[in-house]
Amino acid sequence: MAEARRPRAASEEKRRRILDATEEIMLKEGYAAVSSRSVATAVGIQAPLVHYYFSTLDDLFVAVLERRAGRNVERMAAALLSTAPLRAWWQLASDRRGTALFVELLAAANHRPALKAEVGAIAREIRRMQLEVLESVLEEYGIDAEVFPPALVAAAMQGVAFSAVQDSVAGYDTAADEALAAMDRLIDRLEAGRSN
Amino acid sequence: MAEARRPRAASEEKRRRILDATEEIMLKEGYAAVSSRSVATAVGIQAPLVHYYFSTLDDLFVAVLERRAGRNVERMAAALLSTAPLRAWWQLASDRRGTALFVELLAAANHRPALKAEVGAIAREIRRMQLEVLESVLEEYGIDAEVFPPALVAAAMQGVAFSAVQDSVAGYDTAADEALAAMDRLIDRLEAGRSN
DNA sequence: CACGTTCTTGAACAGGCGTTAAATCCAAGG
DNA sequence: CCTTGGATTTAACGCCTGTTCAAGAACGTG
């Protein structure tokens, strides 16, 4: 029995290029513009080759999400363990490219069950990590957990980032940059006054 | 020159039914599922008739947004003038159906310039109203405008509602209902402690 | 009833879609 | 050098798309 031959060096690289191109298209033209042909053109290959690497478009979307999410779960875990958890978390949450992509994935997930399941699993995992840390750390920040329970703080971090970044990226004139700056200052204040 | 004849009574009704069907499709299958044929089928007419009422799909999307937004601008204006502005605002912002539709419109706007312009105009108008009221009312609520300036409060109201409602509607298990409940209590507390 | 407008349809165009099957290319192993 | 098998392409399938055009139906008015 012959040894399993290793795939060519170029093939893992090609997977990466396909995922990169898909992200780019989602950001520039929306998730609905993602098709085997549009992705293929962007990469410089033929459409069926996309299906060779990702047999259906659902698989492709899920792969885009998983690559992003895998990195983000790690980063969030590291952020929450850092010496300034709120600041590190906020920096992650307010990433512009990530947020823009998130809007598309969220909307796409609404009518792609496989993607929706994956989004749900990742969202739950990340929130679980956040809540766990907040349980023990809110007090150090001097935040009254009666008034601002972990679930609300987590929703606020996520929500403010989402709302302001989305408006800022899209160019909607809603004082979004002012809100982002104020949030920066608020986080600074909280980190400075942290008791531990 | 003959007097301009009024359009038939049924035709305004048909416009409404087309817009209703479009909203329904956006909610159930996403904005990408909106097509002249899918809308026509839902209404029980032929595809070209959709174009008779809304000559392009862009026009249709913009009309959906405008109908919603028109109502919402009025409601928000009324809310901000009410005796409990934050509570009324929060009730509006946390509307489930409106939020779900908003995700779709936001994503659709990212690659439909005409829609994007309209979203921008409406977002700016609503935010302007909110900021104006917050300028004068934050103090009454005992909120330090140095720490929580109007822009941040507005982004937070919008963001928390968006984040929690979206997760709740999609069924993502992220303690969203807990966050919504906590926000309700927070608003209650603020309204109760209002000095005016 | 006849006219003119409004509303509605049937048919068609050119193009894009996801996906499959078969054929071809090409590099490495024996 | 020739076989093997992964990587890639060409061709094709049936279907859906936005939109236009011309024809027809339904209706209010003179």
Side-chain angles (χ1 to χ4, degrees):
Chain A
M1 191 210 283
E3 198 118 331
R5 222 192 305 194
R6 288 203 333 164
R8 293 183 204 164
S11 78
E12 197 53 33
E13 153 90 8
K14 192 142 288 177
R15 264 185 82 92
R16 216 206 62 218
R17 289 212 294 158
I18 292 174
L19 291 175
D20 287 347
T22 306
E23 278 193 9
E24 218 56 44
I25 293 173
M26 290 181 76
L27 286 170
K28 285 198 186 131
E29 309 168 60
Y31 75 82
V34 172
S35 73
S36 31
R37 285 171 176 87
S38 69
V39 171
T41 302
V43 176
I45 57 179
Q46 300 301 317
L49 195 51
V50 173
H51 289 285
Y52 179 80
Y53 287 98
F54 304 94
S55 51
T56 68
L57 276 195
D58 264 334
D59 293 335
L60 177 57
F61 277 110
V62 169
V64 166
L65 172 62
E66 275 181 343
R67 189 177 64 157
R68 277 258 153 196
R71 295 200 287 237
N72 278 12
V73 168
E74 287 170 26
R75 281 179 199 166
M76 182 58 76
L80 294 173
L81 288 176
S82 76
T83 55
L86 279 194
R87 162 137 307 281
W89 174 354
W90 173 247
Q91 267 169 359
L92 257 179
S94 56
D95 171 65
R96 299 172 79 89
R97 189 182 167 93
T99 297
L101 203 56
F102 187 53
V103 186
E104 293 297 329
L105 284 169
L106 222 50
N110 278 344
H111 58 101
R112 284 186 180 267
L115 187 58
K116 182 165 190 168
E118 194 66 22
V119 169
I122 290 161
R124 189 176 63 244
E125 166 67 4
I126 290 191
R127 187 54 48 96
R128 195 194 53 72
M129 290 173 13
Q130 294 169 339
L131 293 179
E132 190 185 308
V133 168
L134 285 177
E135 290 290 354
S136 65
V137 98
L138 276 185
E139 203 181 357
E140 298 174 13
Y141 281 106
I143 295 175
D144 182 356
E146 284 294 317
V147 184
F148 300 99
L152 179 55
V153 173
M157 293 284 284
Q158 160 99 352
V160 171
F162 182 94
S163 166
V165 171
Q166 157 71 21
D167 281 11
S168 173
V169 167
Y172 301 147
D173 184 15
T174 58
D177 294 325
E178 215 180 310
L180 289 171
M183 192 67 180
D184 273 343
R185 288 197 303 273
L186 175 57
I187 300 272
D188 282 345
R189 220 174 259 118
L190 287 169
E191 291 292 355
R194 194 170 168 215
S195 67
N196 182 5
Chain B
M1 191 207 285
E3 197 119 334
R5 220 193 304 195
R6 289 202 331 165
R8 295 181 202 165
S11 78
E12 199 52 32
E13 153 89 7
K14 192 143 288 177
R15 265 185 82 91
R16 216 207 62 218
R17 289 210 295 158
I18 291 174
L19 291 175
D20 288 346
T22 305
E23 278 194 8
E24 216 55 45
I25 293 173
M26 291 182 75
L27 286 171
K28 285 199 186 131
E29 309 168 59
Y31 76 83
V34 173
S35 73
S36 32
R37 284 170 177 90
S38 68
V39 170
T41 301
V43 176
I45 57 179
Q46 300 302 316
L49 195 51
V50 173
H51 290 284
Y52 177 80
Y53 288 98
F54 304 92
S55 53
T56 68
L57 276 195
D58 263 335
D59 293 334
L60 177 57
F61 277 109
V62 169
V64 166
L65 172 62
E66 274 179 345
R67 189 176 64 158
R68 278 257 152 197
R71 295 201 286 237
N72 278 13
V73 168
E74 287 170 27
R75 282 180 198 167
M76 182 58 75
L80 294 173
L81 289 176
S82 75
T83 55
L86 280 193
R87 162 137 307 280
W89 174 354
W90 174 248
Q91 266 169 359
L92 256 180
S94 56
D95 171 66
R96 300 174 79 87
R97 190 182 167 93
T99 298
L101 202 57
F102 186 54
V103 187
E104 292 297 328
L105 284 169
L106 222 50
N110 278 343
H111 58 103
R112 285 185 179 268
L115 187 58
K116 183 166 189 166
E118 193 66 22
V119 169
I122 289 162
R124 190 177 62 245
E125 166 67 5
I126 289 190
R127 188 53 50 94
R128 196 195 52 74
M129 290 174 12
Q130 294 168 340
L131 293 179
E132 189 184 308
V133 168
L134 285 177
E135 290 289 354
S136 66
V137 96
L138 276 185
E139 204 181 357
E140 297 174 12
Y141 281 106
I143 295 175
D144 181 357
E146 284 293 318
V147 184
F148 301 99
L152 179 55
V153 173
M157 294 283 283
Q158 161 99 353
V160 170
F162 182 93
S163 165
V165 171
Q166 157 72 19
D167 282 11
S168 173
V169 168
Y172 300 147
D173 184 14
T174 58
D177 293 324
E178 215 179 311
L180 289 172
M183 191 70 180
D184 273 344
R185 288 197 303 272
L186 174 57
I187 300 272
D188 281 345
R189 220 174 259 120
L190 287 169
E191 291 293 355
R194 194 170 169 213
S195 66
N196 182 6

